[in-house]
């Protein structure tokens, strides 16, 4: 995790959110990524989302694997604990951390290689466990950090910068997550902050595993003609399923009800996401519709973006394991140790 | 010499037929008669249909190692008749099912064949193939009850305790016991020359396996997160932990759990879950065996370098690869000691029996948090899955866990700034904070280069500085870990060095050598890295034997590397056949060597 410590710059004009923090308070070390890297835009969108949500930084945990994308947890929320795990294994670390303390907001940042190649098994099982976390895949179709090899997200027939053609079918994290029963599935584009920020906020408010696949072009190795993960390609092929507004619980503002077919989904914490379907009849609470839509876009060479699916009734890791409300990490010793009398009594069983 | 309460018997059966319950019934009944007893289950990696053996040793002197000789064999598995009949000592007995003729070539004239038509008896008495098969085992238990003078009322009492409410089952088990018992009394001279007589040597003892004791240790140490991937022989550790949690860790008001057991997708994930939970401040552990340890390597190195706690139970089995999954060995020493790439080292604790499984597990949770590094608790199949006679486990309610250097909100308020890896008192251990704490507590946990301030670095000096500090931490640990247990005899110039389960046969062997006039000191090492006392013991003895259960003398290799004691000055006494050691084998090997050396 490379980062350069930068002094927090205070602009007197910086607006403060409800807990008195400015956007600068949600920033981290200086990015060492390539200029123009999509991942930096995702970082900026995350900062915006945290600030707008009034998230107390010390109540969040930043989790990541290895890759250029995974480095970015060093570039936001310097007042949060961070865990930069080993390549592809961030989901298991987050699962353990969340089991121990479900009260924190878990922000997982991964790459397509980290999630869909080496870490596919762990991501899949974190989805199945419905670990309550935001899970962002900063998807550029390549291994950035090891300099441009195809990842499992590279599209069939797309070319590498060296002109090599990818012959293997890609893994689409959105389709995969829908099949696995993920409870929140979305896709966005690093260059579309207006769409990305509300999606991130909705994902953060979702109780359960919120997968957001963010197309995030690698300007050094995958932003050329022939790459379907380039800025030019995505800009030209984005199909927004649903326009998203996110209304936090504490700062509800009246929305102009001018859109047709607005679906309002109340999140676990009481906040609301308003989804404006652009495709007629699109129902983001129906898994079948979501799957068919994403599939159809893919077949047309388009990228379905927006919040594609939400199931807010899903049971998360703690529900499934029936854990007590107090975080396990905070239970006092005498609530855990049965004590001498119990052991003495237990010994009779082994006679 | 009297053979009362000093003999061994063995059953050779087919697994999945219910012989396990017959064997433990007999063993427990003998135990309740006040006679020291141990059992070793030698079972296949299979659910049904392969040969399995169970050895029970009755020892009035309290020796719990594998029996020196088998006095009686119950041969119920035709496919192993030949080897089972061969395994009885001269003058011994073979109990077999005479419902079918026995191949006359298998007969031995130096052993007595006791044929009991178990199959026929059960066919007449019970209906259904399943019942007949299961109860055939109980019937031979009945025969042994008569032959070995085991207290029938104790046996029946145990059946009552086991099947209490299931009337029909209890009834048929009673009948099966009587079938065998009565047949033996009617047809043979009971008891045999070796047999049981009540004693009073088990009053303060229990029969428990090591996995159960480790699970209890984790429960009592306050572990709340268990992450695992099933693998023999560690599986019962987590399953037992779960059962204990269901009993002791359910909040009475809400009915909700004060624990979380995560069955991971593989051992990489279970290791990651342990680290995540420990990072968050919960006491977390995993249990596995060799193949799992191999998969956990990357995370173990991460935890060493990023300094995260976590308890890793390794119930060793016979490697390499899948190896013999149900046979015992101590062959993961090197793979645990230096697990992962780069300069790493890991703390390992070596319990010798289930009693120590309990105490060292409790210690492991303290040690891992105190030194902020993974701790292995290394046992093996023999300790983990066999029932051992051990003193009742004790707990002191005054126990306070050592959570190590953790700065909470109040402590953070006292410091100007918090830096994760600054060593303020020179012991090599630096303070950590737990996520969620406010104020200046935040830091970044990373496996990439970092300096003492917790920042990323590629600077050589800062990197070396941190690596040297971790080394210092391990030097502090060496002195704080459970010390070796040393038994000395007057005038001994010979020393044995060993770890773990061979403790019982080694102690027996040393007694036997003493009876022959050979005085031998024993040092049982209980932790790695080695305490300074280890090297001292090596220096104090003219002849040093290192007893261990692996082919390559891994303990000796570790001793050489870590203490600098010359490798060839230590005589390896190795056994890697996958069975628990016997005192006889140790005495024979040592005597042969000593004789050779004196020629
Ligand atoms: C076990 C292991 N194998 C290989 C690597 C080398 N490695 C580092 S990052 C990376 C690929 C990262 O790709 P991705 O997740 O897509 O991140 P990006 O850099 O594209 O953002 C690889 C192969 C590693 N760190 N660990
Ligand atoms: S190599 Fe690609 S992914 Fe990595 S920082 Fe540069 S542009 Fe971003
Ligand atoms: Mg990538």
């Amino acid at each position: 995790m490379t980062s350069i410590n930068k002094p927090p710059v205070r602009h007197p004009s910086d607006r403060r959110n409800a807990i008195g923090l400015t956007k600068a308070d949600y920033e981290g070390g200086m990015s060492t990524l390539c200029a123009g890297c999509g991942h930096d835009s995702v970082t900026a969108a995350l900062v915006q989302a945290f600030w707008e949500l009034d998230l107390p930084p010390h109540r969040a945990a930043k989790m990541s694997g290895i890759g250029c994308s995974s480095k970015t947890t060093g570039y936001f929320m310097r007042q949060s604990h961070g865990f930069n795990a080993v390549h592809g294994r961030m989901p298991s670390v987050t699962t353990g951390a969340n089991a121990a303390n479900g009260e924190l907001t878990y922000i997982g940042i991964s790459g397509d290689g980290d999630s869909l190649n080496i870490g596919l098994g762990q991501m899949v099982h974190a989805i199945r466990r419905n670990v309550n976390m935001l899970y962002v895949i900063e998807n550029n179709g390549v291994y950035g950090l090891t300099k441009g090899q195809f990842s499992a997200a590279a599209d069939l027939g797309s070319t590498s910068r060296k002109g090599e053609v990818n012959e293997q079918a890609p893994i689409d994290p959105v389709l995969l997550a829908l099949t696995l029963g993920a409870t929140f599935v979305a896709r966005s584009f690093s260059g579309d902050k207006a769409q990305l920020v509300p999606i991130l906020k909705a994902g953060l408010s979702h109780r359960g595993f919120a997968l957001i696949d963010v197309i995030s072009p690698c300007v050094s190795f995958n932003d050329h003609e022939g790459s379907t993960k380039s800025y030019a390609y995505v800009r030209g092929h984005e199909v927004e399923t649903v326009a998203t507004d996110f209304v936090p619980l504490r700062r509800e503002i009246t929305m102009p009800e001018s859109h047709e077919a607005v679906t309002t989904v109340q999140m676990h914490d009481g906040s609301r996401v308003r989804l404006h379907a652009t495709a007629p009849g699109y129902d983001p609470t129906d898994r079948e519709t979501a799957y068919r839509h994403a599939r159809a876009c893919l077949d047309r060479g388009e990228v379905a973006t927006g919040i594609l699916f939400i199931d807010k009734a899903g049971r998360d890791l703690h529900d499934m394991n029936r854990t007590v409300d107090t975080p396990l990490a905070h239970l006092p010793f005498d609530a855990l140790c049965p004590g001498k009398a119990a052991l003495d009594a237990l010994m009779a069983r082994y006679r | 010499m009297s053979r009362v309460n000093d003999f061994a018997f063995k059953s050779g059966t087919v697994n999945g037929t219910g012989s396990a319950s017959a064997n433990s019934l007999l063993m427990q009944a003998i135990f309740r008669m006040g006679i020291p007893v141990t059992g070793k289950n030698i079972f296949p990696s299979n659910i049904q249909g392969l040969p399995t053996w169970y050895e029970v040793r009755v020892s009035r002197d309290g020796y719990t190692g594998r029996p020196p000789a088998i006095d009686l064999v119950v041969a119920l598995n035709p496919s192993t008749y030949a080897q089972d009949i061969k395994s009885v000592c001269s003058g011994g007995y073979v109990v077999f099912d005479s419902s079918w003729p026995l191949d006359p070539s298998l007969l031995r004239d130096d052993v007595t064949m006791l044929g009991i038509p178990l199959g026929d008896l059960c066919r007449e008495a019970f209906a259904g193939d399943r019942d007949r098969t299961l109860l055939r085992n109980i019937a031979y238990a009945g025969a042994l009850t008569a032959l070995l003078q085991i207290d029938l009322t104790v046996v029946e009492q145990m059946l009552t305790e086991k099947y209490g409410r299931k009337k029909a089952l209890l009834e048929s088990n009673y009948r099966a016991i009587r079938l065998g018992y009565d047949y033996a009394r009617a047809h043979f001279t009971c008891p045999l020359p070796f047999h049981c007589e009540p004693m009073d040597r088990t009053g303060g003892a229990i029969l428990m396996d090591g996995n159960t004791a480790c699970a209890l240790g984790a429960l009592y140490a306050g572990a709340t997160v268990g992450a695992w991937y099933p693998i023999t022989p560690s599986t019962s550790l987590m399953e037992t932990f779960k059962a204990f949690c269901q009993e002791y860790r359910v909040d009475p008001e809400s009915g909700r759990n004060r624990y979380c057991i995560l069955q991971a997708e593989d051992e990489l994930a279970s290791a990651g879950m342990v680290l995540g939970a420990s990072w968050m401040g919960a006491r977390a552990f995993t249990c596995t065996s060799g193949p799992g340890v191999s998969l956990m390597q990357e995370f173990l190195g991460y935890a060493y370098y990023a300094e995260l706690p976590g308890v890793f139970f390794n119930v060793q089995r016979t490697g390499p690869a899948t190896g013999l999954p149900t046979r015992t060995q101590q062959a993961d020493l090197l793979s645990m000691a230096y697990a992962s790439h780069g300069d790493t080292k890991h703390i390992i604790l070596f319990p010798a029996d289930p009693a120590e499984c309990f105490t060292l597990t409790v210690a492991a949770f303290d040690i891992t948090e105190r030194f902020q590094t993974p701790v292995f608790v290394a046992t093996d199949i023999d300790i983990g899955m066999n029932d051992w006679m051990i003193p009742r486990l004790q707990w002191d309610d005054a126990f306070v866990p050592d959570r190590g250097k953790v700065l909470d909100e109040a402590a953070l308020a006292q410091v100007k700034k918090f830096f994760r890896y600054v060593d303020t008192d020179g012991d090599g251990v630096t303070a950590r904070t737990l996520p969620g704490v406010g104020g200046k507590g935040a830091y970044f946990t990373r496996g990439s280069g970092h300096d003492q301030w917790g920042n990323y670095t590629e600077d050589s000096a800062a990197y070396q500085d941190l690596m040297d500090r971790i080394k210092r931490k391990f030097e502090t640990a060496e002195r704080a870990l459970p010390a070796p247990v040393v038994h000395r005899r007057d005038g001994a110039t010979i020393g044995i060095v060993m770890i773990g389960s061979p403790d019982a046969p080694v102690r027996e062997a040393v007694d036997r050598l003493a009876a022959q006039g050979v005085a031998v000191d024993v040092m049982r090492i209980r932790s790695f890295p080695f305490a300074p006392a280890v090297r001292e013991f090596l220096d104090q003895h003219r002849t040093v034997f290192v007893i261990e259960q692996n082919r390559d003398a891994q303990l000796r290799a570790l001793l050489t590397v870590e203490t600098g004691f010359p490798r060839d000055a230590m005589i390896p006494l190795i056994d890697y056949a996958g069975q628990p050691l016997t005192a006889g084998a140790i005495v024979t090997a040592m005597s042969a060597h000593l004789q050779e050396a004196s020629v």
Side-chain angles (χ1 to χ4, degrees), chain A residues 37 39 66-71 86-89 110-118 138-147 149 151 216 218, chain B residues 298:
Chain A
C37 175
H39 302 347
I66 296 288
C68 297
S69 35
S70 291
K71 286 180 179 187
V86 294
H87 195 18
R89 318 294 172 197
S110 182
D112 42 322
D114 199 59
S115 279
L116 305 179
N117 288 83
I118 193 167
E138 300 185 351
N139 189 344
N140 52 18
V142 289
Y143 293 178
L145 196 57
T146 51
K147 304 198 171 175
Q149 301 80 9
S151 79
S216 175
C218 168
Chain B
E298 190 183 18

Side-chain angles (χ1 to χ4, degrees), chain A residues 197-277:
Chain A
V197 173
I199 290 180
L200 289 171
K201 287 163 71 182
L204 283 161
S205 297
H206 175 68
R207 183 186 161 99
F209 191 94
L211 178 95
I212 305 179
D213 179 34
V214 184
I215 309 296
S216 175
C218 168
V219 291
S220 295
F221 301 109
N222 208 12
D223 192 31
H224 50 83
E225 291 279 313
S227 160
T228 54
K229 299 281 192 292
S230 63
Y231 278 111
Y233 186 91
V234 181
R235 283 242 164 79
H237 293 78
E238 203 182 354
V239 180
E240 190 166 13
T241 307
V242 280
T244 316
D245 297 310
F246 181 80
V247 187
L249 179 61
R250 287 171 299 279
R251 284 190 286 120
E252 185 159 5
I253 41 163
T254 16
M255 298 287 302
E257 294 287 345
S258 58
H259 303 273
E260 279 178 28
V262 173
T263 313
T264 302
V265 181
Q266 186 157 9
M267 307 303 287
H268 185 80
D269 61 1
S271 56
R272 284 188 243 165
V273 209
R274 291 161 171 273
L275 305 161
H276 314 268

Side-chain angles (χ1 to χ4, degrees), chain B residues 55 105 152 171 221 237 247 264 323 385 409 411 466 481 511 535 585:
Chain B
E55 294 178 355
S105 72
L152 183 63
E171 192 48 44
L237 199 164
E247 196 171 347
M385 294 190 69
E409 209 126 350
L466 194 118
L481 297 177
D511 283 354
R535 171 72 203 229

Side-chain angles (χ1 to χ4, degrees), chain A residues 1-3 5 58-64 66 70-71 73-87 89-101 104 106 118 121-126 129 317-319 321-325 328-331 333-351, chain B residues 28 31-32 202-208 212 216 219-222 224-225 244 247-249 251 254-266 268-270 272-277 279-283 298-299 302 308 358 392-397 399-401 403 433-439 441-448 455-456 458:
Chain A
M1 173 69 42
T2 338
S3 75
N5 284 326
H58 72 280
R59 302 301 294 164
K62 307 175 293 182
M63 316 300 288
S64 62
I66 296 288
S70 291
K71 286 180 179 187
T73 47
Y75 312 151
F76 59 81
M77 280 208 293
R78 69 172 69 75
Q79 292 175 64
S80 306
H81 274 71
F83 197 120
N84 189 195
V86 294
H87 195 18
R89 318 294 172 197
M90 171 267 279
S92 64
V93 175
T94 312
T95 303
N98 192 309
N101 184 354
L104 302 192
Y106 289 89
I118 193 167
Q122 294 220 339
M123 184 189 77
V124 159
H125 288 278
R129 292 187 187 96
L317 177 84
H318 286 277
D319 298 332
N321 285 285
R322 299 180 48 77
T323 53
V324 288
D325 286 336
L328 297 178
H330 298 167
L331 289 170
F333 186 66
D334 58 13
L336 300 173
C337 179
K340 178 176 167 50
L343 190 65
D344 290 348
L346 186 63
M347 289 302 102
R349 244 181 253 174
Y350 300 93
R351 296 248 340 136
Chain B
Q28 226 173 326
F31 176 79
R32 286 205 190 168
T202 66
I206 53 167
L207 284 177
M208 186 181 272
T212 300
L216 264 179
L219 179 80
Y220 271 74
T224 50
V225 177
F244 284 136
E247 196 171 347
Y248 297 105
R249 287 279 192 79
D251 180 58
S254 63
R256 308 245 297 276
N257 300 331
R258 293 183 181 142
Y259 67 93
C260 183
I261 292 171
L262 300 160
Q263 188 186 315
E265 51 272 32
D266 56 33
L268 285 79
S270 47
M273 289 169 183
V274 168
L275 299 188
W279 178 67
M280 199 49 71
R283 288 193 151 185
E298 190 183 18
F299 261 134
Y302 182 101
L308 295 169
F358 180 69
R392 286 167 192 258
L393 303 179
Q394 304 286 340
W395 187 255
D396 179 358
D397 282 332
F399 176 84
V400 179
R403 307 301 308 263
T433 56
L434 304 179
V437 74
Y443 74 95
F444 210 95
T445 301
R446 48 164 69 83
S448 47
N455 293 323
Y456 177 86
E458 294 178 8

Side-chain angles (χ1 to χ4, degrees), chain B residues 55-199:
Chain B
E55 294 178 355
V56 174
R57 179 178 189 184
V58 180
S59 166
R60 61 179 177 232
D61 299 321
Y63 289 127
T64 53
R66 232 187 133 197
I70 300 294
D71 301 289
L72 180 148
V73 156
V74 181
L76 290 187
N77 179 1
S79 74
T80 59
Y81 271 178
Q83 79 186 83
D84 290 346
I85 293 172
K86 214 178 278 171
S87 71
V88 199
C89 65
S90 192
Y93 294 79
V94 173
V95 171
F96 70 101
D97 191 338
S98 57
S99 314
W100 300 275
L102 190 68
D103 177 355
S105 72
L106 293 173
L107 295 177
R108 277 172 60 182
D109 43 21
D110 62 338
V111 303
T112 311
M113 305 296 291
L114 306 175
I116 307 177
L118 292 164
D120 290 343
L121 291 173
C122 289
R123 205 168 18 254
E124 281 161 29
F126 307 110
D129 283 349
R130 204 186 111 83
D131 268 12
R132 286 172 179 158
T133 312
L134 292 175
L135 292 166
R136 192 167 78 120
N137 291 306
I138 302 299
Y140 86 65
L144 291 204
T145 301
L147 289 166
L148 301 174
Q149 196 172 284
I150 298 168
D151 191 334
L152 183 63
T153 52
V154 174
V155 172
E156 291 184 336
Q157 169 64 24
M158 288 180 42
L159 288 174
T160 312
E161 286 168 25
K162 189 166 174 196
Y163 300 112
R165 264 164 261 133
K166 300 171 192 153
K167 272 265 150 30
L169 247 167
L170 180 62
E171 192 48 44
S172 48
N173 273 274
Y174 269 169
R175 267 203 293 153
I177 280 285
R178 287 282 184 175
L179 274 181
Y181 187 84
D182 294 342
Y183 189 93
R185 301 267 298 208
H187 295 81
F188 314 124
T189 316
C190 293
L192 299 178
F194 49 87
H195 57 262
C196 298
E197 272 173 23
M199 285 179 87

